Amino acid sequence: MSSTTDLAPDVSLHVQEKWLRRRAEILRAALRAFREKGYAETTLGDIAEYVGVRKTALYHYFPDKETILYECHRESLAEVSGLLSAARRRHTGAADRLHSVITDHVRVMTETLDGSPISFEVPSLSGARQAEIIGARDQYEKGIREIVQQGISEGEFEAVDPKLAVFAILGAINWISRWYRPGGPVGTADMGNQFADHLVGGLLKRKW
Amino acid sequence: MSSTTDLAPDVSLHVQEKWLRRRAEILRAALRAFREKGYAETTLGDIAEYVGVRKTALYHYFPDKETILYECHRESLAEVSGLLSAARRRHTGAADRLHSVITDHVRVMTETLDGSPISFEVPSLSGARQAEIIGARDQYEKGIREIVQQGISEGEFEAVDPKLAVFAILGAINWISRWYRPGGPVGTADMGNQFADHLVGGLLKRKW
DNA sequence: ATGAGATTTGAACGGTGGTTCAAAATTTAA
DNA sequence: TTAAATTTTGAACCACCGTTCAAATCTCAT
């Protein structure tokens, strides 16, 4: 019947929605497995077990293992991609914009992606897919760098190397996937704010 | 002849030193391969190729792949483990101590470990080894947390959750392995200082 | 120079995991 | 209810990779 990204045109709406629900379930299970074991050590059997099927059922929804990873990446990026423009709309100053991006990114990491490890698994993608994901990631980084540069130019931030500053910020945020567990003992509703205060505060011009 | 952690007692000094040199070379190659591909995707053939031997030669020096990883972990921890006590000896204030630890840790990451990805590969260790590495890592984190707590208690730092603050700091530092490349375009001699200024500065009590 | 020891190599093994494919099972729609 | 469509399953395949082992090669020490 299906190509594994969408359904045949004559399939009923009910069947389509059921298919999409199962597909989404597989992606959720994959994300969890990748977080726990990494992509390479996760077997299709692991993912299937979390879903409650056998590994070969996954081929009804995805053509191969890598595509599952790729789709996880795309979903993660979709969550993150609007954060910059939202921060720019809401705020004019660099500090407020940066604070907003960080807070939102932490929220996405913890509430939507459940501590997604996806930032780590880029090298497992092949050729064009890897280039695409890296491209989108680099766009996001660039956008944050521009905010930092804005802060420096307007005298709000110390004259740091924006690239290093952004790597530090994104490192802190991406590392959340290493320790954050939904319902775990660490991490509260306010952690986005603490992260942002810390990471933005450290850039502000010192008043001596 | 050898057990793979040391040599037979009657082996000449010359042969011992040669053996140890080769062994160290293998560890260096492994660290590089793990950085580039991750532990799971790195084959023994990859490591061997970097050394210029065949994969089976590695068994003369290490009993299995995991032991290579374990030894990489131990070496990394050896580099990091003295940083806390050094900072405590050198400084009395929390901010100075924290600044010192961060600067030193960044230096170790970039100069000694060439951007070691080792923080990421803990789940690949089995049982007792994993517990050991996690234990040592947790000790280090705890030490940093105590510095942060000192800063809070003495009114030097904002009243943050020390655990979150330390995760942010260690995230930023560990993330270096994702973008830092020896001789690469990013990263200068002063990046440790920028990182430390940023990450410590963000904790300092605000003066309004 | 030579024999012993150290080091490296290549062949082989076995287990694992991604993938294919056809049959079985389940669901759907008339 | 029934046939068609969809979904799941299990058997099988094969490539790959960690590991073993004995032979080949190299190095060392006398």
Side-chain angles (χ1 to χ4, degrees):
Chain A
M1 176 217 104
S2 64
S3 106
T4 51
T5 55
D6 46 34
L7 303 177
D10 54 336
V11 170
S12 79
L13 193 64
H14 165 76
V15 171
Q16 281 186 46
E17 291 179 341
K18 195 175 60 140
W19 190 88
L20 287 169
R21 274 199 303 275
R22 174 67 89 177
R23 192 175 186 274
E25 194 179 358
I26 292 167
L27 285 179
R28 229 164 16 242
L31 208 37
R32 175 180 164 198
F34 296 157
R35 183 176 67 228
E36 291 175 356
K37 307 179 175 204
Y39 173 74
E41 303 263 15
T42 295
T43 66
L44 291 179
D46 296 327
I47 298 170
E49 200 177 314
Y50 285 151
V51 178
V53 296
R54 297 292 189 275
K55 64 179 171 178
T56 38
L58 305 184
Y59 288 93
H60 184 64
Y61 301 88
F62 300 94
D64 51 44
K65 187 186 181 187
E66 188 191 301
T67 303
I68 298 178
L69 176 64
Y70 173 64
E71 293 294 336
C72 288
H73 270 292
R74 285 173 81 253
E75 288 204 1
S76 299
L77 280 171
E79 292 294 336
V80 166
S81 63
L83 301 186
L84 279 174
S85 48
R88 287 195 200 106
R89 274 195 314 272
R90 279 196 229 124
H91 306 283
T92 54
D96 288 335
R97 281 177 171 172
L98 189 56
H99 199 280
S100 176
V101 171
I102 294 169
T103 305
D104 282 351
H105 194 150
V106 172
R107 178 178 45 76
V108 166
M109 282 291 281
T110 53
E111 292 180 15
T112 309
L113 303 176
D114 287 343
S116 168
I118 231 49
S119 315
F120 302 93
E121 301 290 357
V122 175
S124 300
L125 293 170
S126 57
R129 282 173 172 175
Q130 187 179 125
E132 179 194 334
I133 299 299
I134 287 175
R137 185 196 68 193
D138 286 352
Q139 280 289 106
Y140 182 60
E141 280 178 23
K142 180 167 177 286
I144 305 185
R145 240 175 8 251
E146 280 164 3
I147 296 179
V148 172
Q149 188 55 63
Q150 177 192 347
I152 294 169
S153 300
E154 293 174 358
E156 200 177 7
F157 291 161
E158 294 283 340
V160 295
D161 178 344
K163 222 165 171 90
L164 288 183
V166 172
F167 281 139
I169 290 164
L170 290 179
I173 295 170
N174 289 326
W175 198 249
I176 288 173
S177 68
R178 310 260 59 197
W179 55 265
Y180 178 76
R181 291 297 169 262
V186 191
T188 64
D190 200 41
M191 64 181 280
N193 201 54
Q194 177 173 326
F195 265 64
D197 284 347
H198 184 179
L199 297 167
V200 176
L203 292 177
L204 293 174
K205 244 200 171 132
R206 289 270 120 206
K207 307 181 208 290
W208 307 100
Chain B
M1 175 218 102
S2 64
S3 106
T4 52
T5 56
D6 46 33
L7 302 178
D10 52 337
V11 170
S12 79
L13 193 63
H14 164 75
V15 171
Q16 281 186 47
E17 292 179 340
K18 196 175 59 136
W19 189 90
L20 287 170
R21 275 200 302 275
R22 175 67 91 177
R23 191 175 186 273
E25 194 179 357
I26 292 168
L27 284 180
R28 230 167 11 246
L31 209 34
R32 176 180 164 198
F34 295 158
R35 183 175 69 227
E36 292 174 354
K37 305 179 177 206
Y39 172 74
E41 302 265 14
T42 295
T43 66
L44 290 181
D46 296 329
I47 299 171
E49 200 176 315
Y50 286 150
V51 178
V53 297
R54 296 294 188 274
K55 66 180 173 178
T56 38
L58 305 185
Y59 289 91
H60 184 64
Y61 301 89
F62 299 95
D64 51 45
K65 187 186 181 187
E66 188 191 301
T67 303
I68 298 177
L69 175 64
Y70 173 63
E71 292 295 334
C72 287
H73 271 291
R74 282 163 44 48
E75 287 204 3
S76 299
L77 280 171
E79 292 294 336
V80 166
S81 64
L83 302 186
L84 280 174
S85 47
R88 286 195 200 105
R89 272 194 316 272
R90 280 195 227 123
H91 306 283
T92 53
D96 288 334
R97 281 177 172 171
L98 188 57
H99 199 279
S100 176
V101 171
I102 293 169
T103 304
D104 283 348
H105 193 150
V106 172
R107 179 180 44 77
V108 167
M109 282 290 282
T110 54
E111 293 180 15
T112 309
L113 303 176
D114 287 344
S116 170
I118 231 48
S119 316
F120 301 93
E121 302 289 357
V122 175
S124 300
L125 293 170
S126 58
R129 281 173 172 175
Q130 185 178 128
E132 181 194 331
I133 299 299
I134 288 176
R137 185 197 70 194
D138 287 352
Q139 279 289 108
Y140 182 60
E141 282 179 21
K142 181 166 176 288
I144 305 184
R145 245 182 355 257
E146 280 164 3
I147 295 178
V148 173
Q149 188 55 63
Q150 177 193 347
I152 293 168
S153 299
E154 294 174 356
E156 200 177 8
F157 292 160
E158 293 285 339
V160 295
D161 178 345
K163 222 166 173 88
L164 288 182
V166 173
F167 282 139
I169 290 164
L170 290 179
I173 295 171
N174 289 325
W175 197 250
I176 288 174
S177 70
R178 311 260 50 186
W179 55 266
Y180 179 75
R181 292 296 169 262
V186 190
T188 64
D190 200 42
M191 65 182 277
N193 201 56
Q194 176 173 327
F195 263 64
D197 283 348
H198 185 178
L199 297 167
V200 177
L203 291 177
L204 293 175
K205 236 177 182 152
R206 291 269 118 208
K207 308 180 208 288
W208 310 100

